[in-house]
């Protein structure tokens, strides 16, 4: 497939060789950035390109271009595909403004109302029609596989994002409509492909609500989960001496959005929705909800002034000593905590 070129926004990194570990680190960093991150992760492959879009730090939508056809896909489909190792894939991460993000989504989710070349249509007539109708519209001018975006609001051209950086004679100070006309009719008179979108409504992926309930980074951490499954767990009846020597815990999510997940972590550690060692995507859990610490040979659970509180073995607590096998409820999530001894 000929490489498609799109407006880039702010490039965080570009065309980095794919590895599963690099992908996990990238997803984790996006999650840590939280609501400040808006942008897209792009995966280029020899015969396709895949996109994952983020809005306020959460995965919002996904899409791909295969056989030169743009299409929306579910976030799970994106993750399933990209989790497969390949030496021929590269990753790029871009921050975008809201309009660039919307333009990419329109391109992947909607069919253009008009698709012609500039030798078959007068661009000025399109601009006049949009202006007279005082409508919103999105126009792409494509040359040499570079997609250049133009946005209209209430009939007026408001913003341009160029992928083609060779647009000689066009300056950012020029009116957007003028930039568009200069690009559409180059000196060499090469026909430019024109795509006009009148329906510019976009939608989040159908599985966004479900995806928001867990960290994508965690979904990729297969090796860590396998390690947790194989961990030596002290039985509930283990001697107190062994419990006091526990320097790690295995935490199993027995109920809630991430039911079935397991974490094998050293102490001390914190548990929370975002700013924590163990991050659980449950909106009823505080960002840093609780901590586990070793004190005088005992493992202590502390609620860190969480909004919804904590329940340990059926009782609301602020601070309590745990035994191996203790059950902790935080928000809609229930955890079982086992001591790991060596």
């Amino acid at each position: 497939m000929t490489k498609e070129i799109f407006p880039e926004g702010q490039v965080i990194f570009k065309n980095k060789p794919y590895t599963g570990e690099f992908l996990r680190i990238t997803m984790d960093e996006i999650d840590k950035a939280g609501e400040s991150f808006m942008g897209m992760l792009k995966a280029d492959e020899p015969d396709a390109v895949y996109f994952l879009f983020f809005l306020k730090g959460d995965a919002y939508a996904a899409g791909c271009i295969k056989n030169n056809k743009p299409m929306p896909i579910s976030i799970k489909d994106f993750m399933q595909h990209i989790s497969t190792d390949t030496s021929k894939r590269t990753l790029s991460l871009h921050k975008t403004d809201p309009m660039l993000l919307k333009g990419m989504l329109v391109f992947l989710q909607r069919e253009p109302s008009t698709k012609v070349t500039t030798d078959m249509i007068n661009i000025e007539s399109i601009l006049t029609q949009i202006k007279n109708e005082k409508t919103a519209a999105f126009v792409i001018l494509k040359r040499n596989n570079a997609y250049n975006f133009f946005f209209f609001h209430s009939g007026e051209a408001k913003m341009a994002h160029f992928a083609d950086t060779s647009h000689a004679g066009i300056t950012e100070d020029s009116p957007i409509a003028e930039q568009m006309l200069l690009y559409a009719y180059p000196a060499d008179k090469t026909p430019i492909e024109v795509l006009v979108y009148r329906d510019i409504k976009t939608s989040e992926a159908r599985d966004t609500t479900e995806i928001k309930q867990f960290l994508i980074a965690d979904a990729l951490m297969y090796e860590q989960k396998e390690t947790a499954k194989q961990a030596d767990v002290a039985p509930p009846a283990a001697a107190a001496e062994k419990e006091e020597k526990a320097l790690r815990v295995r935490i199993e999510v027995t109920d809630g959005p991430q039911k079935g997940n397991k974490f094998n972590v050293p102490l001390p550690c914190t548990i929370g929705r975002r700013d924590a060692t163990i991050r659980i995507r449950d909106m009823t859990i505080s960002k840093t909800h609780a901590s586990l610490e070793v004190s005088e040979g005992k493992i202590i659970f502390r609620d860190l002034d969480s909004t919804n509180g904590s329940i340990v073995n059926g009782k609301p607590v602020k601070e309590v000593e745990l035994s191996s096998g203790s059950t902790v409820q935080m928000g809609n999530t229930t955890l079982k905590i086992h001591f790991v001894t060596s």
Side-chain angles (χ1 to χ4, degrees), residues 208-215 257-258 280-283:
T208 301
T209 301
E210 180 182 351
I211 293 296
K212 283 181 179 178
Q213 297 303 313
F214 67 89
L215 290 174
Q258 283 181 241
I280 297 176
R281 188 58 65 87
D282 179 343
M283 298 307 293

Side-chain angles (χ1 to χ4, degrees), residues 50-62:
Y50 287 79
F51 301 90
L52 180 61
F53 300 96
F54 294 86
L55 184 63
K56 293 185 177 181
D58 286 319
Y60 179 79

Side-chain angles (χ1 to χ4, degrees), residues 298-317:
K298 301 174 182 179
I299 295 182
I300 305 299
F301 173 92
R302 288 191 178 91
D303 183 280
L304 301 177
D305 296 323
S306 66
T307 301
N308 294 321
S310 303
I311 298 174
V312 176
N313 296 327
K315 297 180 180 180
V317 300

Side-chain angles (χ1 to χ4, degrees), residues 60-127:
Y60 179 79
C64 70
I65 304 172
K66 296 182 70 174
N67 301 319
N68 296 314
K69 180 176 176 57
M71 66 186 78
I73 59 175
S74 71
I75 296 172
K76 282 188 175 180
D77 285 344
F78 175 93
M79 297 310 302
Q80 184 176 8
H81 176 81
I82 205 171
S83 296
T84 305
D85 284 328
T86 173
S87 60
K88 297 181 179 180
R89 179 187 297 138
T90 61
L91 298 178
S92 302
L93 184 64
H94 307 261
K95 278 189 174 182
T96 68
D97 60 42
M99 293 309 297
L100 177 52
L101 184 69
K102 184 177 182 66
M104 290 298 304
L105 291 173
V106 170
F107 172 70
L108 291 165
Q109 295 180 357
R110 300 295 177 187
E111 291 290 334
S113 57
T114 303
K115 185 176 181 180
V116 294
T117 55
T118 49
D119 58 345
M120 300 292 293
I121 195 170
N122 188 328
I123 291 292
E124 289 184 273
S125 66
I126 294 177
L127 296 178

Side-chain angles (χ1 to χ4, degrees), residues 317-328:
V317 300
K318 282 292 185 181
E319 180 176 320
V320 68
E321 178 186 351
L322 298 181
S323 59
S324 188
S326 290
T327 298
V328 176

Side-chain angles (χ1 to χ4, degrees), residues 119-307:
D119 58 345
M120 300 292 293
I121 195 170
N122 188 328
I123 291 292
E124 289 184 273
S125 66
I126 294 177
L127 296 178
T128 300
Q129 185 178 10
I130 293 173
K131 185 173 183 178
N132 290 340
E133 293 177 358
K134 296 182 179 180
T135 186
F138 172 53
V139 178
I140 295 177
L141 297 182
K142 178 186 175 185
R143 179 170 65 183
N144 298 329
N145 294 306
Y147 291 77
N148 305 280
F149 292 179
F150 301 87
F151 302 89
F152 294 79
H153 179 68
S154 298
E156 299 294 331
K158 294 295 185 180
M159 185 177 293
H161 279 288
F162 282 92
D164 184 357
T165 57
S166 64
H167 46 280
I170 301 176
T171 65
E172 293 183 359
D173 296 333
S174 304
I176 302 300
E178 182 179 322
Q179 294 181 39
M180 186 175 174
L181 289 170
L182 285 171
Y183 189 84
Y185 299 106
D188 61 8
K189 298 184 179 180
T190 302
I192 307 295
E193 186 173 356
V194 183
L195 296 87
V196 181
Y197 297 82
R198 295 304 186 92
D199 180 2
I200 61 172
K201 294 179 181 178
T202 60
S203 58
E204 61 184 4
R206 61 181 181 271
D207 56 348
T208 301
T209 301
E210 180 182 351
I211 293 296
K212 283 181 179 178
Q213 297 303 313
F214 67 89
L215 290 174
I216 293 178
D218 288 339
L220 294 166
M221 296 178 68
Y222 302 118
E223 293 180 4
Q224 179 173 332
K225 289 181 180 180
E226 287 302 314
T227 300
K229 289 178 182 178
Q230 298 170 7
D232 292 327
V233 180
E241 179 180 353
K242 285 191 175 182
E243 290 189 352
E244 291 177 359
K245 291 181 180 179
L247 296 177
R248 300 181 68 89
V249 291
R250 187 183 72 152
I251 299 177
E252 178 183 359
V253 183
T254 59
D255 197 12
Q258 283 181 241
K259 183 177 179 179
N261 280 22
K262 298 179 177 68
F263 305 89
N264 187 11
V265 295
L267 298 177
C269 70
T270 53
I271 306 170
R273 189 177 76 250
R274 192 176 294 279
D275 302 326
T277 311
I278 298 171
R279 295 190 295 280
I280 297 176
R281 188 58 65 87
D282 179 343
M283 298 307 293
T284 60
I285 291 178
S286 296
K287 290 183 178 180
T288 311
H289 194 105
S291 68
L292 296 175
E293 302 172 10
V294 178
S295 177
E296 298 180 352
K298 301 174 182 179
I299 295 182
I300 305 299
F301 173 92
R302 288 191 178 91
D303 183 280
L304 301 177
D305 296 323
S306 66
T307 301

